[in-house]
C-alpha cells in the first residue's frame, strides 16, 4: 500500500483539467485558479512539477538509459495508443457527419495515427463540427511530447552525472537554470505559441531539483544557481509573478501529498486513474457536449456526465491497459 497521497493529487490535477476544459469546450471563459492560471493550467503545472521529482527519482534508482526509456514508454504509450485507436475506429464513425466510406476514405482519418507518436493532428473529418471547438478530438495531448522531451533532458544530464557524481547537484541546477532561461528566450526564438511548452519544462525541472534536495542538500554553487534561476523565473516575461505563484502552490501540494497517507485509502482501491482521466476527458467532453447541444441541459449536468464517463474509461484504461503494460517494466540492475 502507498504511504502517500500523490496518486490522489494526480487524480485531482487531471480532474482540474477536465473541469477547466468543460468551460472552453462550451464556448465559455475558463475560470481562474487564484488569479494565477486557469484551473486546467494549474492542474498541468502540478503534473509537471510532480513528474519532475518522480522521474528523476526513477533515474537515480536505475541510471540506465534503455531501461529508463522503456519504463517511461510503457507508462505513456499503451494508454495513448488505445485512445488513439478508439478515437479513429469508434468515436469517429459514431459522430462524423460524413458517410463511413468518405470518413475512412479521407487521408485526414489516417493521419490521426500520428497521434500515437506525439505528432498530434487533433482533427478527424466531420467530427464535432458543430461544437464550440469544432473538429478538435483531443486537445489535451499537446503536453505528452513536452513530457517526453523532459525525460530526454533527465537522461542526458543524468548520464553526465553518472561520470561526475560529485557535480550532480551543480548539473541539476544548470539544467534548471537552462529550463528557466528558455521560458523567456525560447519564446523569443520560436514564438509566443510555445510559451506554455517552455513553462512546463521549467516546472518539471523545478520538480527535479526539489526531488534532489529531498535526498541531499545541494552545495553552495548549486544553491547559488538555483537562486539565480528563481529570480529569473519571477522577473522575466509578463507572467513571472503568476507562474512563480503556481510553482509555490504546486510545490506545497506535492510536499503535502508525499507526507499524508489518507489519499492512498482511495487510490489503492481504484488504481492510478490520473493518466486515463487526462487522455480520455477531452474527447468524452466533446461527445457529451455535442449530444447535449440544443437539448437545454444545464452546464452542471453535462459536467457530471463528462466526469462520470471519463472516470469510467480511466478505470478501464488503468486495469485493462496501463497496469498490464507496466508488468513488462524491466527490473533495475540491483533487483536482478
Amino acid at each position: 500500500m502507498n504511504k502517500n497521497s500523490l496518486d490522489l493529487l494526480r487524480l485531482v490535477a487531471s480532474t482540474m483539467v477536465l473541469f477547466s476544459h468543460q468551460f472552453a469546450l462550451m464556448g465559455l471563459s475558463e475560470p481562474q485558479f487564484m488569479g494565477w492560471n486557469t484551473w486546467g493550467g494549474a492542474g498541468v503545472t502540478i503534473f509537471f512539477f510532480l513528474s519532475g521529482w518522480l522521474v528523476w527519482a526513477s533515474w537515480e534508482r536505475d541510471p540506465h538509459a534503455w531501461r529508463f526509456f522503456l519504463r517511461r514508454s510503457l507508462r505513456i504509450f499503451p494508454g495513448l495508443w488505445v485512445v488513439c485507436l478508439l478515437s479513429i475506429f469508434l468515436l469517429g464513425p459514431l459522430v462524423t457527419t460524413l458517410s463511413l466510406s468518405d470518413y475512412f476514405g479521407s487521408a485526414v482519418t489516417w493521419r490521426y495515427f500520428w497521434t500515437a507518436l506525439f505528432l498530434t493532428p487533433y482533427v478527424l473529418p466531420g467530427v464535432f463540427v458543430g461544437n464550440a471547438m469544432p473538429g478538435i478530438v483531443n486537445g489535451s495531448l499537446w503536453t505528452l511530447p513536452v513530457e517526453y522531451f523532459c525525460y530526454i533532458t533527465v537522461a542526458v544530464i543524468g548520464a553526465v552525472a553518472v561520470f561526475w557524481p560529485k557535480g550532480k547537484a551543480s548539473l541539476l541546477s544548470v539544467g534548471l537554470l537552462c529550463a528557466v532561461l528558455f521560458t523567456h528566450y525560447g519564446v523569443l526564438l520560436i514564438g509566443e505559441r510555445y510559451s506554455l511548452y517552455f513553462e512546463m519544462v521549467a516546472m518539471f525541472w523545478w520538480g527535479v531539483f526539489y526531488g534532489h534536495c529531498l535526498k541531499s542538500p545541494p552545495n553552495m554553487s548549486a544553491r547559488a544557481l538555483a537562486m539565480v534561476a528563481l529570480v529569473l523565473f519571477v522577473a522575466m516575461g509578463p507572467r513571472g509573478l503568476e507562474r512563480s505563484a503556481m510553482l509555490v502552490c504546486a510545490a506545497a501540494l506535492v510536499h503535502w501529498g508525499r507526507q499524508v497517507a489518507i489519499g492512498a485509502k482511495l487510490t489503492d482501491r481504484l488504481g492510478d486513474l490520473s493518466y486515463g482521466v487526462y487522455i480520455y476527458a477531452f474527447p468524452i467532453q466533446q461527445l457529451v457536449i455535442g449530444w447535449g447541444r440544443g437539448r437545454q441541459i444545464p452546464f452542471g449536468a453535462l459536467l457530471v456526465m463528462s466526469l462520470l464517463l471519463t472516470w469510467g474509461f480511466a478505470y478501464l484504461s488503468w486495469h485493462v491497459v496501463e497496469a498490464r503494460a507496466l508488468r513488462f517494466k524491466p527490473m533495475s540492475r540491483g533487483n536482478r
Side-chain angles (χ1 to χ4, degrees), residues 203-225:
M203 291 297 181
F204 180 95
W205 269 92
W206 280 114
V208 170
F209 196 76
Y210 166 83
H212 175 73
C213 291
L214 287 177
K215 292 190 67 176
S216 56
N219 56 38
M220 287 299 295
S221 61
R223 290 180 190 177
L225 286 171

Side-chain angles (χ1 to χ4, degrees), residues 18-326:
L18 183 156
F19 171 72
S20 194
H21 282 171
Q22 189 76 18
F23 288 85
L25 291 172
M26 295 184 70
L28 305 171
S29 297
E30 294 183 64
Q32 292 290 301
F33 179 84
M34 308 285 286
W36 303 330
N37 207 327
T38 64
W39 277 76
V44 172
T45 298
I46 294 168
F47 265 126
F48 272 86
F49 185 91
L50 179 55
S51 180
W53 168 33
L54 296 179
V55 169
W56 176 253
S58 173
W59 171 267
E60 286 209 300
R61 284 193 298 270
D62 184 24
H64 184 278
W66 167 249
R67 292 193 293 269
F68 172 77
F69 281 110
L70 182 55
R71 292 189 191 97
R72 303 272 57 82
S73 297
L74 286 170
R75 187 66 188 94
I76 286 186
F77 284 114
L80 175 63
W81 290 342
V82 171
V83 77
C84 176
L85 291 172
L86 289 176
S87 297
I88 294 170
F89 293 108
L90 180 62
L91 177 65
L94 182 66
V95 303
T96 185
T97 57
L98 306 179
S99 67
L100 289 182
S101 60
D102 286 342
Y103 173 80
F104 285 111
S106 171
V108 175
T109 301
W110 304 109
R111 278 202 296 270
Y112 196 83
F113 273 108
W114 286 110
T115 303
L117 297 175
F118 295 153
L119 302 173
T120 310
Y122 292 116
V123 175
L124 283 172
V127 172
F128 303 136
V129 292
N131 285 12
M133 201 173 287
I136 306 300
V137 177
N138 206 335
S140 297
L141 300 185
W142 70 269
T143 63
L144 298 186
V146 181
E147 174 89 2
Y148 212 86
F149 171 77
C150 290
Y151 301 162
I152 294 171
T153 64
V154 163
V156 170
I157 291 184
V160 176
V162 168
F163 297 101
W164 187 33
K166 291 183 179 180
K168 181 189 297 184
S170 296
L171 285 169
L172 293 182
S173 57
V174 167
L176 172 61
L177 181 59
C178 289
V180 166
L181 288 171
F182 268 100
T183 61
H184 180 65
Y185 292 106
V187 172
L188 296 179
L189 288 172
I190 64 175
E192 188 67 29
R193 174 186 174 187
Y194 296 98
S195 61
L196 281 178
Y197 293 57
F198 292 116
E199 188 172 312
M200 290 307 110
V201 173
M203 291 297 181
F204 180 95
W205 269 92
W206 280 114
V208 170
F209 196 76
Y210 166 83
H212 175 73
C213 291
L214 287 177
K215 292 190 67 176
S216 56
N219 56 38
M220 287 299 295
S221 61
R223 290 180 190 177
L225 286 171
M227 186 58 65
V228 170
L230 182 58
V231 170
L232 293 175
F233 199 62
V234 174
M236 287 194 311
R239 274 186 36 82
L241 290 175
E242 290 85 355
R243 69 183 177 224
S244 300
M246 276 307 314
L247 170 63
V248 172
C249 181
L253 288 170
V254 169
H255 196 70
W256 169 84
R258 59 177 285 269
Q259 298 179 79
V260 177
I262 189 171
K265 294 180 180 179
L266 173 65
T267 54
D268 282 349
R269 293 189 181 96
L270 292 176
D272 186 358
L273 307 190
S274 57
Y275 183 58
V277 169
Y278 190 78
I279 61 176
Y280 279 96
F282 202 100
I284 288 174
Q285 288 175 276
Q286 284 278 58
L287 180 64
V288 168
I289 290 166
W291 171 81
R293 195 172 59 250
R295 296 176 186 266
Q296 304 302 314
I297 300 175
F299 174 91
L302 292 175
L303 174 61
V304 170
M305 290 174 63
S306 296
L307 186 61
L308 293 177
L309 282 171
T310 299
W311 279 355
F313 271 85
Y315 184 88
L316 292 174
S317 179
W318 172 255
H319 290 281
V320 177
V321 180
E322 298 168 53
R324 295 187 180 190
L326 291 175

